[in-house]
Amino acid sequence: MSSRDDHFQDLIRFTEKNYFLTCAYARNCFYLLLKALGVGKDDEVIVPAYSCLSIYKTIEEVGAIPIYVDCDEGTLNISPEKIKLAIGIHTKLIYVIHAYGIVARIDEIVSIANDRGIWLVEDISHTLNAQYNGRPAGSYGHFTIVSLTKLFLNYQGAVITTNDKIVFSRMKQLQAGYPTAPKRLAYLPNYMYRLLGAWYERDASLIALLLFKIVNFLLVIMKIERESASDFNYNFFHMSNFAVRLFVMSYKKYLRLITPPFTYDRFRTSC
């Protein structure tokens, strides 16, 4: 791990994993994982029946079949009892989302997955820093996915962590083989539309973060014009955004004194 990637040390320690990979979105992390595990045609992936559409579409993209499982009434997360009923001979993976700030009954799900030799993925995008039976959410499964577009007002960035060096290496090779979409000035209006929307909603923190995003975007373009795109550290790029979001949330009470008409409690979620 390079010194420029030290921003991720706390995250991989928190999930009790040794390796991490960053992507543009969580769906990209999940896609690389499915490909690295060899999940494909006619394989089955157990997922919560109520979740982000991109999860289901990613499974279908590799040719596999999403198996929808209802929630547990106590946690509103995927039910361990119903997971048992949904497992079949083609089941390759269980995707657990700890939603609504509530951790699923993950110890029971781990037992089910281990007994049947099934891969287990934890998505802690909505429960970062939550714990279950004294252990952090994200430390139970074989893989942990964290989307940075949920709690930190970010519009891009996701991380997948694991202790499986072989699968991690496969994911890294796959990622290196996919073309990277170049940053072009034509994409700048997308950020400007969001900035106008944030201004219309009078959301000071979101305005500040979008301005920061635009500045970083322009720096990326200039970097690509001077050197090859591969020389730019995208891990550092994503985590610099992440750090600013944490700073804004930590000091929002002081920002309120400066700009009283604005609101600071709009922590939206999106796929």
Side-chain angles (χ1 to χ4, degrees):
M1 184 179 294
S2 69
S3 59
R4 292 190 294 179
D5 294 331
D6 287 343
H7 299 281
F8 283 100
Q9 286 283 9
D10 289 338
L11 180 59
I12 62 175
R13 242 191 327 261
F14 177 79
T15 59
E16 298 181 7
K17 304 292 193 294
N18 294 319
Y19 308 101
F20 75 89
L21 191 70
T22 59
C23 293
Y25 297 97
R27 69 200 70 172
N28 303 128
C29 292
F30 190 34
Y31 178 81
L32 289 173
L33 175 61
L34 292 174
K35 297 292 285 186
L37 294 176
V39 177
K41 184 174 174 56
D42 297 329
D43 289 333
E44 296 177 351
V45 178
I46 291 178
V47 293
Y50 179 72
S51 185
C52 181
L53 182 64
S54 63
I55 295 173
Y56 314 140
K57 291 298 182 182
T58 301
I59 295 169
E60 293 172 351
E61 181 67 23
V62 300
I65 304 167
I67 304 298
Y68 306 104
V69 173
D70 208 345
C71 68
D72 166 61
E73 292 184 3
T75 65
L76 299 181
N77 287 306
I78 192 167
S79 165
E81 291 83 8
K82 292 170 184 175
I83 287 176
K84 288 181 182 179
L85 298 175
I87 291 176
I89 59 173
H90 297 293
T91 303
K92 301 296 183 183
L93 183 143
I94 301 172
Y95 194 101
V96 176
I97 300 174
H98 302 298
Y100 323 113
I102 303 171
V103 181
R105 290 155 55 193
I106 190 64
D107 52 350
E108 298 175 51
I109 299 173
V110 167
S111 178
I112 295 169
N114 289 341
D115 288 345
R116 293 162 175 77
I118 299 172
W119 295 106
L120 177 60
V121 179
E122 288 183 85
D123 187 325
I124 61 170
S125 304
H126 294 276
T127 51
L128 193 60
N129 206 32
Q131 292 203 356
Y132 186 84
N133 289 341
R135 288 181 58 187
S139 65
Y140 287 85
H142 301 102
F143 309 96
T144 301
I145 293 177
V146 186
S147 170
L148 302 181
T149 67
K150 300 295 188 296
L151 301 178
F152 302 105
L153 292 173
N154 198 358
Y155 285 105
Q156 196 174 29
V159 187
I160 183 168
T161 65
T162 184
N163 283 327
D164 194 313
K165 187 175 181 180
I166 295 176
V167 176
F168 168 73
S169 298
R170 289 176 189 163
M171 292 177 64
K172 207 167 182 181
Q173 290 173 357
L174 286 166
Q175 187 183 48
Y178 291 128
T180 301
K183 297 286 184 181
R184 300 297 185 212
L185 283 173
Y187 298 150
L188 189 57
N190 186 31
Y191 294 114
M192 299 305 296
Y193 296 149
R194 288 170 173 167
L195 181 60
L196 289 173
W199 184 265
Y200 178 77
E201 294 182 356
R202 303 183 70 78
D203 192 330
S205 59
L206 186 55
I207 291 170
L209 300 176
L210 282 169
L211 286 172
F212 179 83
K213 186 81 171 182
I214 290 170
V215 171
N216 273 281
F217 179 82
L218 293 174
L219 288 174
V220 173
I221 292 175
M222 289 187 290
K223 183 74 175 182
I224 291 177
E225 288 176 350
R226 292 197 305 270
E227 303 173 14
S228 66
S230 61
D231 292 333
F232 189 82
N233 190 313
Y234 282 93
N235 288 342
F236 184 79
F237 172 69
H238 288 313
M239 290 311 293
S240 63
N241 287 337
F242 177 72
V244 167
R245 278 146 180 77
L246 288 178
F247 174 84
V248 170
M249 286 191 288
S250 298
Y251 292 95
K252 61 184 179 182
K253 63 180 179 180
Y254 302 110
L255 294 175
R256 187 181 295 113
L257 298 175
I258 302 172
T259 56
F262 292 83
T263 59
Y264 301 88
D265 56 350
R266 298 169 186 266
F267 295 92
R268 300 172 184 77
T269 59
S270 64
C271 291

